[in-house]
Amino acid sequence: MPRKILVVDNNPVILKLMENFLTKEGHQVRTAIDGIVALETLKEFPAEIIFVDLIMPKISGEKLCMILRSMPEMSDVALVVLSAVAVEQQLDFVSFGADACIAKGPFKEVEQHIHHVFAKIDSGELKQLSSRIIGTENVFKRIITSELLSSKRHFEVTLNTMAEGFVELTSTGLIVYVNPVAVAFAGVSEAKMLTKDFLDFFGGQQYAELAECLAHLEDTPVFIGDDSPFILNGRYLAMTLAPVVEHDQRAVIVLIRDITERKKAEQEMALYQDHLEELVEQRSAELIIRNRELQEEIVERQSLSKVKEVLEIELMQRHKMEALGVMATGIAHDFNNILAAMLGYAEVIRFSHKDDQQTLGYLKNITQAGDRGKDLIGLIKTFSRPADYPFTPVYLNKIIDDTLMLLHPTVPVNIEIQKVFAENTPPVIADPVQIQQVLLNLCANAIQAMRCDGGVLTLMVHRSIPSLDGEGMESAPACHYVELSVADTGVGIPAENMERIFDPYFTTRAGGDGTGLGLSVVHGIVMRHNGKIVVVSEPGQGTKFTVYLPVKFSSPGPTDGTTDGKQLTPWQTLTAGRVQ
């Protein structure tokens, strides 16, 4: 009885033998070299019997049978596996929808087995063939094929258990392989995903972006979606697209990572930051009102002495810092929690990659940066209450070098950095983390002042004995200090802003760029170190911040008659250039 038969095999010899044999038997025969061609052929050739090889490119015979069985119009089609690997493994062909399985051997014997299957089809007894593989008696196992199948099983286990979604595409974007994670992301069955266009799972701008990446994919992998993730079934996804070229055939491997939890955490953090900004604005309004009240009180007491005026200004500053401290303590606590989570996950990665020295090296850097972050968070608490800090002998030259390494990636190319270090500069007694914070803030302000037109950032360190007659030095004792200067050739500070630059929240940056806390932190740290800060600036001529930090001597110096091996007397009041 003539039938319409489709033969699917990537071996052209087998295709020709099958076509000649079946045609002589009076059947209508079509052939296909892989699963994708077979599915296209079936659209205009309604086959009644389909012979399928197991090992084929793009889509395996097993996957092709699963796809065909998922199609209602193929429910009555007879699926017969014709494969040489049927001898090499325990093949459960019924599980993926096949009706019979014939082992490839001498073709004359294969013809007899096909006649046997046709007889069963004609008698309606095809389902009674059970799961026995036909024709294994005279075919022997091949060791190399068994090894390849074992390797294939290991590969499939790896893909099926990995945390990322794995998708293989043809050069035209059709899906030919998916692992269970990718199936879960898509929310449809594997059979419905195979041979479908990968782009159809995305829409709008995401469709266009992914199509652009696939169209221009070259020889190196492309990472997309980390900043603007792809959204699929409520999940945020990032992808790695990797080209594969073999025997002039091009394919694309897509690794899909679920970054939903990370994106949700980022969104929550953004909302939290907005909330903090609102709190800061509210508190700032309260501080403005309080400041106005204090200014009115100062006007009423203008008859008091200069000492009393200085004390009132200090009291006003104290109230500001105390009010800010209430909020700063809460911020520092929450940031510590976030940092603790980051360091905790770093430790988890350390244990899971304990044999990977390169990864351990990266984790060490992450841990060191995290520890430095915890120290820097402590600076925020300087607004809340005095605390004991681990003051040790510190060489400012080393602190400057470390700070410039941190700043280097952010410095525009039009800004030149110069260092002027005097020889034999003694150490100061200080907290190195806080001194680095002073440098970071002063250098950041200098870079901002020169960002548009460029310029020169100069950092100088040398030993100094401030003059009692110098500008801003009327309260300085004649003793030894280390002088740290940060100078720029930028736009300078207008005279009307000089008296406010150390106020919390005062900033001249537009568009919310900057919190106005940087110089407040600098001022608090310098005062806590019994130091002095002097500012000299002219609009259009640049700005120079000079920080004086006292030196601890083991014996009096040759020009110092006031030291006796103890810590030098600190300055008691702040006079910074024209800043009181």
Side-chain angles (χ1 to χ4, degrees):
M1 173 176 156
R3 298 179 182 273
K4 293 183 177 180
I5 300 175
L6 174 64
V7 182
V8 188
D9 198 310
N10 64 312
N11 188 328
V13 176
I14 296 296
L15 289 179
K16 192 63 177 177
L17 289 172
M18 288 290 291
E19 184 179 13
N20 291 340
F21 164 66
L22 294 172
T23 301
K24 289 179 180 179
E25 293 286 322
H27 302 291
Q28 295 184 48
V29 182
R30 294 287 183 89
T31 61
I33 61 173
D34 59 43
I36 293 179
V37 175
L39 292 172
E40 288 296 322
T41 302
L42 288 171
K43 291 180 180 179
E44 48 84 23
F45 182 75
E48 302 169 73
I49 302 174
I50 302 176
F51 288 92
V52 180
D53 188 18
L54 286 180
I55 306 301
M56 293 187 297
K58 298 181 180 178
I59 296 181
S60 67
E62 177 182 340
K63 301 295 184 184
L64 178 59
C65 289
M66 293 173 58
I67 294 172
L68 293 173
R69 283 301 182 221
S70 69
M71 301 165 64
E73 64 272 20
M74 295 291 168
S75 59
D76 295 330
V77 173
L79 296 182
V80 181
V81 173
L82 181 61
S83 176
V85 301
V87 184
E88 322 294 340
Q89 61 181 350
Q90 296 296 323
L91 182 65
D92 183 11
F93 58 86
V94 176
S95 65
F96 52 81
D99 297 304
C101 180
I102 300 173
K104 285 182 180 177
F107 197 73
K108 288 297 182 181
E109 296 183 7
V110 171
E111 291 177 356
Q112 296 176 7
H113 299 321
I114 293 175
H115 280 137
H116 176 66
V117 170
F118 284 173
K120 291 294 184 181
I121 294 175
D122 292 338
S123 64
E125 299 176 351
L126 181 62
K127 301 297 182 182
Q128 299 177 11
L129 283 175
S130 74
S131 59
R132 183 179 66 84
I133 300 173
I134 303 171
T136 60
E137 297 80 6
N138 297 323
V139 181
F140 300 97
K141 292 185 177 181
R142 293 160 293 180
I143 295 177
I144 186 170
T145 305
S146 298
E147 291 177 348
L148 290 173
L149 290 172
S150 176
S151 175
K152 176 177 177 291
R153 285 192 292 271
H154 282 78
F155 178 69
E156 289 178 344
V157 169
T158 300
L159 292 182
N160 290 341
T161 57
M162 64 191 296
E164 294 83 4
F166 183 97
V167 181
E168 182 179 353
L169 309 178
T170 66
S171 59
T172 59
L174 299 182
I175 300 173
V176 295
Y177 185 89
V178 287
N179 70 347
V181 175
V183 171
F185 289 160
V188 298
S189 67
E190 178 183 8
K192 291 185 177 180
M193 290 185 68
L194 293 173
T195 73
K196 297 299 187 297
D197 193 326
F198 183 64
L199 297 177
D200 290 342
F201 289 90
F202 304 91
Q205 180 61 33
Q206 294 184 343
Y207 181 102
E209 180 181 353
L210 195 54
E212 179 74 11
C213 289
L214 288 172
H216 296 87
L217 187 62
E218 297 181 349
D219 297 331
T220 56
V222 174
F223 304 90
I224 57 176
D226 282 297
D227 296 327
S228 300
F230 293 85
I231 300 177
L232 183 63
N233 292 329
R235 295 177 180 271
Y236 294 94
L237 305 177
M239 302 182 191
T240 301
L241 307 180
V244 178
V245 179
E246 184 177 5
H247 305 303
D248 296 329
Q249 296 293 319
R250 182 180 178 88
V252 178
I253 300 299
V254 183
L255 291 178
I256 307 175
R257 291 174 285 113
D258 187 350
I259 58 172
T260 303
E261 295 302 322
R262 191 192 82 190
K263 297 305 295 185
K264 287 182 178 179
E266 290 176 355
Q267 291 170 357
E268 291 176 1
M269 177 61 69
L271 292 175
Y272 185 65
Q273 289 177 339
D274 292 341
H275 178 62
L276 286 181
E277 290 293 336
E278 292 178 1
L279 293 179
V280 169
E281 291 177 0
Q282 294 174 4
R283 194 57 181 160
S284 298
E286 295 173 3
L287 290 174
I288 292 173
I289 295 174
R290 181 58 180 158
N291 182 56
R292 186 181 300 114
E293 294 173 352
L294 290 174
Q295 293 295 338
E296 293 173 355
E297 183 179 350
I298 291 174
V299 171
E300 295 174 358
R301 299 172 181 266
Q302 287 181 347
S303 59
L304 297 177
S305 64
K306 181 178 180 180
V307 175
K308 188 174 181 180
E309 292 177 358
V310 172
L311 291 177
E312 287 177 346
I313 294 174
E314 291 178 353
L315 178 62
M316 178 186 66
Q317 188 74 6
R318 185 179 298 275
H319 281 310
K320 291 180 181 179
M321 304 308 285
E322 288 175 353
L324 181 60
V326 175
M327 181 192 68
T329 301
I331 295 175
H333 174 75
D334 290 331
F335 281 178
N336 266 328
N337 288 341
I338 296 171
L339 198 57
M342 293 168 59
L343 291 175
Y345 278 116
E347 287 301 317
V348 171
I349 298 174
R350 186 193 307 277
F351 281 107
S352 62
H353 294 75
K354 57 185 178 181
D355 295 327
D356 186 349
Q357 294 303 317
Q358 185 178 21
T359 300
L360 291 177
Y362 294 154
L363 290 174
K364 181 179 178 182
N365 293 336
I366 292 173
T367 304
Q368 289 176 346
D371 292 337
R372 178 61 61 87
K374 291 194 294 186
D375 294 335
L376 293 177
I377 287 174
L379 292 176
I380 300 177
K381 296 181 180 179
T382 59
F383 292 111
S384 57
R385 59 183 183 278
D388 294 329
Y389 292 89
F391 284 23
T392 58
V394 174
Y395 285 92
L396 295 182
N397 297 13
K398 178 65 168 56
I399 297 293
I400 290 176
D401 287 336
D402 292 344
T403 303
L404 290 179
M405 288 181 63
L406 292 175
L407 285 172
H408 184 266
T410 66
V411 178
V413 295
N414 61 350
I415 295 179
E416 177 185 357
I417 298 178
Q418 295 182 352
K419 297 186 295 184
V420 181
F421 295 162
E423 295 182 358
N424 301 321
T425 303
V428 298
I429 303 302
D431 175 11
V433 175
Q434 294 190 63
I435 296 303
Q436 187 174 64
Q437 184 67 16
V438 169
L439 278 167
L440 284 170
N441 281 322
L442 293 180
C443 289
N445 285 350
I447 292 171
Q448 182 67 28
M450 298 184 290
R451 186 169 296 277
C452 293
D453 300 326
V456 180
L457 172 62
T458 304
L459 296 98
M460 295 181 289
V461 176
H462 62 86
R463 192 167 175 170
S464 174
I465 304 178
S467 170
L468 292 179
D469 298 328
E471 181 183 13
M473 297 299 179
E474 59 273 8
S475 59
C479 53
H480 287 269
Y481 293 84
V482 172
E483 178 180 329
L484 167 63
S485 298
V486 178
D488 64 71
T489 59
V491 296
I493 302 174
E496 63 269 21
N497 293 336
M498 287 293 288
E499 294 186 1
R500 301 183 61 193
I501 60 174
F502 291 107
D503 285 354
Y505 302 115
F506 177 75
T507 178
T508 59
R509 298 182 186 179
D513 183 13
T515 62
L517 294 175
L519 289 180
S520 299
V521 171
V522 170
H523 170 261
I525 292 173
V526 172
M527 293 300 99
R528 188 162 290 106
H529 283 75
N530 297 325
K532 177 78 171 181
I533 183 169
V534 175
V535 186
V536 176
S537 180
E538 290 292 337
Q541 301 298 317
T543 302
K544 180 179 180 181
F545 284 83
T546 303
V547 176
Y548 296 86
L549 297 173
V551 178
K552 184 175 182 179
F553 294 94
S554 58
S555 60
T559 61
D560 178 16
T562 63
T563 59
D564 57 0
K566 300 180 180 179
Q567 177 69 42
L568 297 179
T569 304
W571 286 314
Q572 300 300 323
T573 60
L574 167 67
T575 308
R578 291 185 294 276
V579 179
Q580 180 70 18

